[in-house]
Amino acid sequence: GISNLFSNYTLMESAEMKALMLNQISDTQSWKSYIVQSEVSLKNLYRLTSDNLIQQDRVTKIQILKDDLYEVLTSLDKKIPLRTKNLDSVRVELVRLNVVMDELKSLKGQMILESESLYHQREAAYRSKIMITPFTSLLLVLFSLTVFVIAFKKINSDRDRIKNSEGFLQNILGTTNNVISYFEAVRNENNKIIDFIVSYTNDQVTKYTDNALGNLSGHRISEVYPVLFRNGVFEILVDCAEHNKTVKFDRSYEYNGDTIWFSTTVEKLWDGLSLTSRNNTLEKLAADKLKELNERLQVQNAVLIDAEAIAKMGNYRWNLDRDSVEVSDNYYRLLDCDPDEFPSCWDNFRPFVH
């Protein structure tokens, strides 16, 4: 579906960002390892939207942008060995990468809105013809909007090299829309983690806090992010650090009167944690709305089925353009047949007419 496809594109972007940070390409974690899965998802999406010309046009645009994405990522792969000598060209490619990803995200939003619009149209048609329209299965695909973002597992064991590369990394991290941070563990005399120090965070964090970057780095999270001790996140961070886990979770936060949702990936790194947080507020709201609408329609369908059974009624719809017939389950029962006992076409129903 839509979620699976765009998750793969996001993972491709993350894998390439990690390769740039580490100045090396892993055969197992390269963006190319997601190509097969993304191609399958794209073909499935094209098939699922075959009856919608507008969505088909968007899928065609995605195919073009997909080729552009592969081209940019391939170009960045070639520049990794010489990244410090070609910083300007790397920046150009990163700008191109952001443009392609923004266009893909825009298409994703349009496709989700189109799906919601179609859903509302079908609901309105169902309400207006509830007594005469056929029993129609209204199945909504619940969009699984869980995007797995892999920031990095290793930077380099040599901390001096990280310090020397800080300027370059700041330029790279400044091109992503994700909040990327590194927390160092603070332990007591019993070697138990009691807090974390914010060793690094990119400037994206300033969109969601009143603290400047200089007021975050070097401070404990109990001072700058006390909410993490109230919403269960601190316990998740400790568990990840103590058991060398990779953890993904969603949390909501209040900022300037608004509720903001973040999808966060946490990985153990040295005696600390790397965190990548993505703002997925719109996706959460859309998923909750679709779930609510789906539950309401399920209740309405159940009421209609019971009403037909009690009244000994059935209904059907004959599409003259396609010469197809859709009938309710109780219509089959009125003919002394099991639901879907035979294909619902006019020729199969004609023998029952006397």
Side-chain angles (χ1 to χ4, degrees):
I2 298 174
S3 298
N4 289 337
L5 177 63
F6 288 93
S7 292
N8 285 320
Y9 292 153
T10 302
L11 287 172
M12 287 182 180
E13 178 192 21
S14 297
E16 188 63 21
M17 293 290 290
K18 177 181 176 182
L20 280 169
M21 292 178 196
L22 299 179
N23 197 25
Q24 61 183 20
I25 303 174
S26 170
D27 292 336
T28 59
Q29 298 187 16
S30 167
W31 64 269
K32 296 179 182 178
S33 62
Y34 301 104
I35 289 179
V36 174
Q37 189 175 354
S38 64
E39 292 293 339
V40 171
S41 297
L42 186 58
K43 290 180 181 179
N44 288 338
L45 188 59
Y46 194 88
R47 174 176 55 81
L48 291 172
T49 58
S50 59
D51 60 344
N52 190 316
L53 295 179
I54 295 177
Q55 295 286 60
Q56 286 270 286
D57 181 61
R58 293 187 178 117
V59 174
T60 300
K61 293 178 180 178
I62 291 173
Q63 290 177 319
I64 296 173
L65 289 172
K66 176 257 301 181
D67 293 335
D68 292 342
L69 177 62
Y70 291 174
E71 179 185 347
V72 173
L73 294 177
T74 300
S75 177
L76 283 171
D77 277 350
K78 296 177 181 179
K79 299 178 186 299
I80 287 176
L82 301 174
R83 66 176 190 177
T84 56
K85 298 180 179 180
N86 296 281
L87 183 57
D88 289 339
S89 61
V90 170
R91 288 175 177 168
V92 171
E93 295 301 328
L94 287 172
V95 171
R96 288 180 59 201
L97 178 60
N98 273 347
V99 170
V100 172
M101 292 303 299
D102 287 345
E103 292 182 4
L104 285 171
K105 291 174 183 176
S106 175
L107 288 172
K108 175 184 177 181
Q110 293 173 23
M111 295 188 75
I112 291 176
L113 290 176
E114 178 71 14
S115 297
E116 290 183 6
S117 176
L118 290 174
Y119 184 84
H120 288 302
Q121 292 175 17
R122 290 169 183 169
E123 181 185 18
Y126 175 82
R127 288 177 177 275
S128 64
K129 301 178 181 179
I130 192 170
M131 298 302 297
I132 60 174
T133 55
F135 168 65
T136 307
S137 296
L138 299 177
L139 297 176
L140 283 178
V141 177
L142 297 177
F143 299 102
S144 256
L145 303 174
T146 307
V147 179
F148 301 98
V149 180
I150 302 175
F152 50 87
K153 289 184 177 179
K154 289 184 180 180
I155 296 181
N156 198 302
S157 59
D158 189 350
R159 297 193 178 218
D160 290 335
R161 184 177 178 184
I162 292 178
K163 292 179 180 179
N164 294 333
S165 302
E166 184 177 356
F168 173 77
L169 291 177
Q170 288 287 355
N171 282 299
I172 297 296
L173 296 174
T175 62
T176 181
N177 293 323
N178 299 331
V179 178
I180 301 177
S181 306
Y182 178 72
F183 293 172
E184 286 186 319
V186 177
R187 300 177 181 271
N188 62 12
E189 61 277 6
N190 297 322
N191 202 34
K192 180 180 178 181
I193 297 177
I194 59 173
D195 210 332
F196 290 92
I197 292 177
V198 181
S199 295
Y200 169 81
T201 187
N202 65 346
D203 58 5
Q204 290 296 317
V205 74
T206 57
K207 296 180 180 179
Y208 311 108
T209 179
D210 293 328
N211 291 320
L213 284 178
N215 296 330
L216 294 174
S217 297
H219 291 269
R220 296 190 177 196
I221 64 172
S222 58
E223 300 171 351
V224 295
Y225 301 132
V227 67
L228 301 184
F229 288 81
R230 298 193 298 269
N231 62 7
V233 172
F234 176 72
E235 287 75 13
I236 294 176
L237 299 181
V238 171
D239 186 51
C240 178
E242 295 287 6
H243 299 95
N244 196 19
K245 292 182 178 179
T246 296
V247 180
K248 301 178 180 67
F249 63 90
D250 290 352
R251 281 293 187 280
S252 64
Y253 302 90
E254 298 296 326
Y255 179 63
N256 286 341
D258 296 326
T259 299
I260 304 175
W261 280 89
F262 285 96
S263 175
T264 301
T265 300
V266 186
E267 296 186 72
K268 175 72 178 297
L269 186 64
W270 301 312
D271 192 32
L273 301 170
S274 67
L275 299 89
T276 301
S277 299
R278 181 177 61 84
N279 186 333
N280 65 340
T281 304
L282 294 179
E283 297 169 2
K284 273 284 186 182
L285 293 176
D288 291 344
K289 183 63 176 179
L290 287 176
K291 181 178 179 180
E292 178 186 352
L293 292 175
N294 186 52
E295 291 174 349
R296 288 166 53 192
L297 282 180
Q298 287 178 343
V299 172
Q300 293 170 358
N301 285 341
V303 171
L304 178 60
I305 292 173
D306 291 342
E308 284 188 345
I310 294 172
K312 295 183 178 181
M313 294 175 56
N315 61 75
Y316 72 91
R317 181 173 64 185
W318 184 10
N319 190 315
L320 297 176
D321 294 333
R322 293 185 296 181
D323 193 22
S324 63
V325 180
E326 297 179 0
V327 301
S328 67
D329 288 351
N330 208 52
Y331 192 94
Y332 277 102
R333 297 188 184 99
L334 293 175
L335 300 177
D336 291 328
C337 299
D338 293 329
D340 298 323
E341 181 174 326
F342 51 84
S344 57
C345 64
W346 182 248
D347 289 338
N348 288 338
F349 286 106
R350 187 173 297 169
F352 293 94
V353 179
H354 301 285

